[in-house]
């Protein structure tokens, strides 16, 4: 019985590939059914990430009318509520110390760093020096200050978030 079911599954899988359209790469090489599936997945991912980026850009545009105090308050909140304890601790301490004195340009740079389209763990690893930092982030002056602060040269205790 198992052999029959397994045989049917294989047949269904193969018949699914037989009905796909034939596509060619730019060099004229014909794609196999598996490669065609991979290409479709890549196209869907590209569309998805473009939609995410467009949504993010629209959100950032809607924030253009924020006052400096509203922006500071939002960034302070976002620094504390990161979804990972590690970033919550690093960013909440940094923002408590530096956000009150930042000008509008620095606040915008900080906003780009903590709300960019990158993974939370990427941000943590960049701040702790565990992985290579992308050029656009590396050249950011606020990021340099964040990285220096995260190194904790004075060995301050930062095991809980600072009071508001």
């Amino acid at each position: 019985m198992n052999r029959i079911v397994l045989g049917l599954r294989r047949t269904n899988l193969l018949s699914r590939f037989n009905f796909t359209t034939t596509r060619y790469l730019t060099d004229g090489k014909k794609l196999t059914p598996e490669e065609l599936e991979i290409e479709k997945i890549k196209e869907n991912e590209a569309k998805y990430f473009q939609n995410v980026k467009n949504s993010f850009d629209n959100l950032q545009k809607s924030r253009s009318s924020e006052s400096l105090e509203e922006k500071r308050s939002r960034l302070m909140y976002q620094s504390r509520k990161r979804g990972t304890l590690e970033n919550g601790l690093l960013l909440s301490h940094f923002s408590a110390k530096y956000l009150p004195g930042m000008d509008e340009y620095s606040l915008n740079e900080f906003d780009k760093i903590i709300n960019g389209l990158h993974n939370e763990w990427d941000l943590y690893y960049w701040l702790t020096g565990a992985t290579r930092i992308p050029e656009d982030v590396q050249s950011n002056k606020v990021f340099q200050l964040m990285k220096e602060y995260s190194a904790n040269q004075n060995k301050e205790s930062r095991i809980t978030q600072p009071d508001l």
Side-chain angles (χ1 to χ4, degrees):
M1 184 69 173
N2 285 341
R3 288 183 182 177
I4 295 171
V5 172
L6 191 58
L8 288 174
R9 286 185 185 152
R10 285 187 185 147
T11 304
N12 288 338
L13 182 64
L14 292 175
S15 65
R16 189 181 95 200
F17 287 127
N18 290 338
F19 294 108
T20 58
T21 59
T22 304
R23 288 192 11 198
Y24 296 88
L25 295 175
T26 54
D27 63 359
K29 179 185 168 199
K30 184 178 177 180
L31 293 175
T32 65
E34 292 84 8
E35 291 171 329
L36 185 60
E37 285 291 317
I38 291 170
E39 288 299 314
K40 285 181 184 177
I41 291 169
K42 287 180 181 178
E43 288 173 10
N44 288 338
E45 284 180 348
K47 288 177 189 174
Y48 172 77
F49 287 117
Q50 186 59 46
N51 288 339
V52 169
K53 184 178 181 332
N54 290 341
S55 297
F56 179 75
D57 291 342
N58 290 338
L59 180 63
Q60 292 299 83
K61 286 177 189 173
S62 71
R63 292 178 174 159
S64 62
S65 62
E66 274 182 326
S67 70
L68 281 179
E69 282 310 307
E70 288 172 331
K71 186 174 284 197
R72 274 193 188 91
S73 295
R74 176 177 58 82
L75 292 173
M76 181 69 76
Y77 177 82
Q78 290 175 337
S79 295
R80 296 175 66 86
K81 307 294 182 187
R82 298 306 301 174
T84 61
L85 178 62
E86 293 83 356
N87 278 352
L89 288 170
L90 283 175
L91 297 177
S92 65
H93 281 275
F94 175 84
S95 61
K97 183 172 183 176
Y98 290 103
L99 243 57
M102 284 187 179
D103 60 358
E104 185 173 9
Y105 177 78
S106 297
L107 288 173
N108 288 335
E109 293 297 305
F110 183 67
D111 193 4
K112 285 179 193 174
I113 294 168
I114 69 168
N115 292 317
L117 293 176
H118 48 263
N119 186 306
E120 248 344 89
W121 284 107
D122 289 339
L123 180 59
Y124 175 75
Y125 291 138
W126 297 338
L127 288 172
T128 58
T131 59
R132 191 180 70 73
I133 304 165
E135 278 301 313
D136 60 322
V137 177
Q138 178 74 32
S139 61
N140 188 315
K141 299 289 185 202
V142 175
F143 180 79
Q144 291 300 318
L145 184 62
M146 291 170 68
K147 189 172 176 190
E148 181 182 312
Y149 186 78
S150 297
N152 197 10
Q153 295 296 326
N154 298 332
K155 307 291 186 217
E156 299 170 1
S157 175
R158 300 177 186 163
I159 59 173
T160 60
Q161 291 188 349
D163 295 331
L164 289 176

